[in-house]
């Protein structure tokens, strides 16, 4: 399926954002560990959260997480504790996303985990059992989901756990989110310098409500920047959010989009002609999921950029660095990379292509490129249903703002 998207009739709108899947998945796992039979309020309706919920509710020993990376990491740690034999697998892309760092750490704690196909990658055979604590060391440069997965089960491990993070620590806000969520359920862990100390403890039953998703909000900041004539109101966002992507509002401010707090959330209003020709530099180490949004936005605004801190993008739903280079070329922009952790654009352009934007089964590719229709007149997006991974009603919300979306 291909969507042909145009933006000739945009108008001001009030959007109800989805709940945060990052917070939802943490709350779901800890909620089960606490023994609470009641679900959190306002759970995300994303595919990733549905996968977590179904797996945690099921007694089936076979778990298929599809493309849900968070679920694969969190559930691997959870199932290592659950006394039963389990098999956990996923999509073909998931089978090529590394998991050895997490498996090795869990084995250090006594977990019985075997690779079912290729060493270092899912699927996994897990024989759940009681784990013993102590100290483990993890590289801070890996996905924070590995670290969070172990952190959340640590109170259930005999004698608790001391985690030493070595080297550069990326995605710190997600580790803080996990700490704060654990605290909401009665377990106080400490993080000093590079040491996380988690006591053996029992989570307590807590009724929680999930806040709206700042990652989803980023696409509306993008739309506001490209269409300064409209105002956008976004409901459910909190100023003191647990989400690292809440910092995205300050990135947007540098590109002329102002955030005004309302009783229900925020109101966005862009300043016309706010963008400059100065090179925009930003380190996305703590907000890697916003990189695609701001790569496409800067290109469309004509703002050269140098973005760093992107090392985790290569092991996401796709290699997002390679995907951005390829797809931006289709809309006329030539990007450069060191093939490790940077993306830049120096203003170089090329001929555009009529080929649709490929999404690589990556929800953020679809959502980041769709607003480019404002600049280009129209844009074609392949496999648009991928947005269900985090923002199932994204296309409906674009229609509310006046976008025309026609299925080819």
């Amino acid at each position: 399926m291909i969507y042909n998207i145009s933006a000739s009739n945009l108008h001001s709108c009030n959007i109800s954002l989805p709940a945060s899947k990052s917070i939802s998945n943490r709350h779901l796992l800890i909620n089960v560990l606490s023994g609470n039979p009641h679900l959190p309020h306002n759970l995300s309706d994303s595919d990733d959260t549905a996968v977590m919920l179904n797996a945690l509710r099921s007694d089936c020993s076979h778990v298929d997480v599809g493309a849900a990376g968070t679920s694969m990491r969190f559930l691997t740690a959870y199932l290592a504790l659950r006394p039963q034999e389990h098999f956990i697998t996923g999509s073909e892309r998931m089978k090529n996303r590394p998991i050895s760092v997490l498996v090795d750490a869990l084995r250090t704690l006594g977990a019985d985990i075997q690779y079912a196909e290729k060493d270092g990658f899912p699927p996994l055979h897990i024989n759940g059992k009681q784990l013993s604590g102590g100290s483990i060391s993890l590289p801070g440069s890996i996905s924070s989901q590995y670290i969070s997965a172990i952190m959340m089960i640590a109170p259930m491990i005999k004698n608790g756990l001391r985690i030493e993070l070595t080297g550069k620590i990326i995605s710190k806000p997600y580790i803080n989110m996990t700490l704060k969520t654990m605290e909401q359920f009665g377990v106080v862990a400490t993080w000093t310098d590079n040491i996380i100390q988690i006591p053996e403890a029992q989570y307590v039953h807590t009724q929680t409500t999930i806040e709206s998703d700042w990652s989803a909000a980023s696409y509306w900041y993008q739309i506001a920047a490209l269409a300064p004539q409209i105002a956008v109101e976004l409901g459910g966002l909190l100023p003191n959010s647990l989400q690292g992507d809440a910092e995205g509002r300050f990135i947007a401010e540098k590109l002329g989009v102002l955030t005004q707090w309302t009783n229900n959330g925020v109101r966005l209003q862009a300043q016309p002609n706010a963008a400059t020709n100065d090179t925009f530099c930003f380190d996305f180490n703590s907000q890697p999921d916003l990189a695609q949004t701001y790569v496409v936005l800067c290109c469309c605004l004509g703002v050269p950029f140098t973005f760093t801190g992107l090392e985790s993008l290569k092991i996401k739903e796709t290699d997002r660095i390679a995907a951005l280079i390829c797809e931006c070329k289709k809309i006329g922009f030539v990007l450069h990379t060191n093939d490790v952790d940077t993306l830049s654009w120096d203003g170089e352009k090329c001929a555009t292509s009529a080929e649709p934007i490929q999404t690589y089964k990556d929800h953020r590719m679809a959502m980041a490129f769709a607003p480019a229709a404002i600049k280009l007149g129209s844009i074609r997006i392949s496999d648009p249903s991928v947005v269900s991974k985090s923002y199932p009603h994204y296309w409906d919300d674009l229609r509310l703002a006046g976008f025309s979306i026609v299925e080819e």
Side-chain angles (χ1 to χ4, degrees), residues 160-219:
L161 189 61
R162 177 184 183 272
I163 304 173
E164 179 184 3
L165 302 179
T166 61
K168 179 182 178 181
I169 303 173
I170 66 172
S171 301
K172 289 182 180 180
Y174 287 99
I175 300 174
N176 274 319
M177 178 190 292
T178 303
L179 286 170
K180 293 295 185 183
T181 303
M182 293 169 66
E183 188 175 327
Q184 284 183 272
F185 285 83
V187 174
V188 179
T190 60
W191 182 9
T192 305
D193 297 326
N194 65 330
I195 303 297
I196 301 173
Q197 190 74 47
I198 304 169
E200 180 180 357
Q202 178 59 53
Y203 286 117
V204 298
H205 293 189
T206 304
Q207 193 59 54
T208 57
T209 300
I210 310 302
E211 62 182 88
S212 291
D213 186 18
W214 275 100
S215 305
S218 73
Y219 310 111

Side-chain angles (χ1 to χ4, degrees), residues 343-362:
L343 263 177
S344 63
W345 180 58
D346 60 9
E348 182 181 356
K349 296 184 179 181
C350 62
T352 59
S353 167
E355 291 295 313
I357 299 298
Q358 296 300 314
T359 50
Y360 306 86
K361 300 187 184 300
D362 184 344

